[in-house]
Amino acid sequence: MDCIVLVTRLTSPIGQITIEACVRGVHKVDLQEPKNFSPDGRQKVQFVDAAQEELCNKCEPLAKCVNWMKAYFDDASSVQSLSLPPFHVTKYKEGSFTAAVLHNLATKVDIGETVSYGQLAEMTGNPKASRAVGGAMRANQTPLLVPCHRVVNSNGSVGNYMSGRGNELKKWLLEHEAK
């Protein structure tokens, strides 16, 4: 079955978020390129326009993802009681090391916690694969839902979020979750 992918755009405290989903699950979450990152904690998550909201009525995974984003930015700890929307990611194979890393990250590293690349490699059963964990983070198509921002260097530094372009964004997300 081919996917009919629906796309919606949201405004948020960290800028525009684009979500792509089909009836089987969320394909991708894109965060706006943080060139001059200037978060606005007062900005509520909302649709860019009314037509975007109509799309959510046609796709349950998309609606569930939007509701998760609204809850996350309103009170990050509130998403611990929510289930994640289903995923339909095609960039990596189910059962692969990357899939295992991202699954462990999404299910074992809670809001307000961080984990090092080495710790996440160990949690995935291969303690010497910290570099491969970095590759898995780069393959993550659903940031925030699969919280790659919670993965830090072994010395506690933020590392290179979004290839280094999103380090301030990562710090903001970690501080938001610590509230």
Side-chain angles (χ1 to χ4, degrees):
M1 173 172 103
D2 287 335
C3 293
I4 297 173
V5 177
L6 301 177
V7 179
T8 193
R9 289 172 182 78
L10 307 170
T11 58
S12 80
I14 61 169
Q16 186 170 292
I17 299 173
T18 303
I19 304 167
E20 298 177 14
C22 71
V23 294
R24 294 170 65 186
V26 175
H27 284 243
K28 194 172 189 180
V29 173
D30 272 329
L31 306 180
Q32 181 180 11
E33 188 71 30
K35 290 182 180 111
N36 294 312
F37 181 62
S38 180
D40 181 358
R42 297 165 301 169
Q43 172 68 52
K44 296 289 184 190
V45 173
Q46 56 193 16
F47 294 96
V48 171
D49 59 51
Q52 303 289 309
E53 191 168 3
E54 286 296 315
L55 285 175
C56 283
N57 296 331
K58 299 176 182 179
C59 182
E60 186 178 338
L62 187 59
K64 194 170 184 179
C65 186
V66 168
N67 288 335
W68 191 96
M69 293 291 174
K70 287 179 177 181
Y72 177 82
F73 285 107
D74 188 48
D75 175 9
S77 65
S78 71
V79 298
Q80 290 179 324
S81 63
L82 299 176
S83 60
L84 288 170
F87 297 108
H88 188 217
V89 178
T90 57
K91 187 173 181 177
Y92 49 84
K93 293 180 183 174
E94 197 169 320
S96 67
F97 180 76
T98 295
V101 167
L102 296 176
H103 174 77
N104 282 336
L105 180 57
T107 60
K108 296 180 179 177
V109 182
D110 290 331
I111 300 265
E113 294 179 358
T114 58
V115 63
S116 73
Y117 293 90
Q119 289 169 320
L120 189 51
E122 192 169 324
M123 289 166 59
T124 308
N126 192 344
K128 295 184 186 265
S130 57
R131 285 185 186 264
V133 167
M137 295 304 98
R138 285 187 296 281
N140 181 12
Q141 292 187 272
T142 54
L144 302 181
L145 298 171
V146 177
C148 52
H149 62 278
R150 295 185 196 143
V151 182
V152 297
N153 289 332
S154 58
N155 65 5
S157 65
V158 297
N160 286 316
Y161 191 60
M162 299 173 77
S163 299
R165 297 180 311 274
N167 290 351
E168 292 304 312
L169 169 58
K170 182 174 184 171
K171 289 176 191 174
W172 188 91
L173 291 168
L174 293 172
E175 289 171 10
H176 172 65
E177 292 183 1
K179 291 179 187 174

